[in-house]
Amino acid sequence: RYGFRGQQFGAPGPAPPGSGLAAVCAGVQELLDVMVGQGYALKASVLDVAPGPGRSGSFRVRLEGPANLWGLASLSFRRSPVVSTYDAMLTRAYLRASGGGV
């Protein structure tokens, strides 16, 4: 939600307690839109939303033209255990803050 050194990214807060999958996915899409606006990808989408029983369900995140593409390839070539998947870290943090399991 907050930027660095006085910068505001305009990201949404966590989904309210008891929110359904549609509301959570809408929040994830808002976060992805912030990533695109900040230059971390050319396009980002929440896809294949599949509700499950209760509050469970699944979805996919797809990035087009991610800024970390070269970095991931370079780290993989070097067999580095470090992974720079900011989209996955961002989504997981949002789900945790929204009271969901990952």
Side-chain angles (χ1 to χ4, degrees):
R1 174 180 353 192
Y2 302 108
F4 301 100
R5 297 185 187 181
Q7 296 294 315
Q8 293 286 328
F9 290 149
S19 295
L21 183 62
V24 171
C25 287
V28 171
Q29 184 62 59
E30 286 183 56
L31 285 172
L32 295 173
D33 292 343
V34 170
M35 285 185 67
V36 169
Q38 295 295 318
Y40 285 95
L42 298 177
K43 186 177 178 184
S45 306
V46 173
L47 305 168
D48 301 334
V49 178
R55 291 183 57 219
S56 69
S58 64
F59 62 91
R60 283 187 323 121
V61 170
R62 178 181 176 161
L63 296 184
E64 295 180 27
N68 63 348
L69 185 59
W70 176 86
L72 287 172
S74 179
L75 291 169
S76 176
F77 178 74
R78 294 179 180 145
R79 296 181 185 184
S80 173
V82 177
V83 180
S84 61
T85 52
Y86 300 111
D87 55 319
M89 290 186 266
L90 178 74
T91 302
R92 184 174 185 186
Y94 180 80
L95 293 175
R96 238 186 341 226
S98 297
V102 180

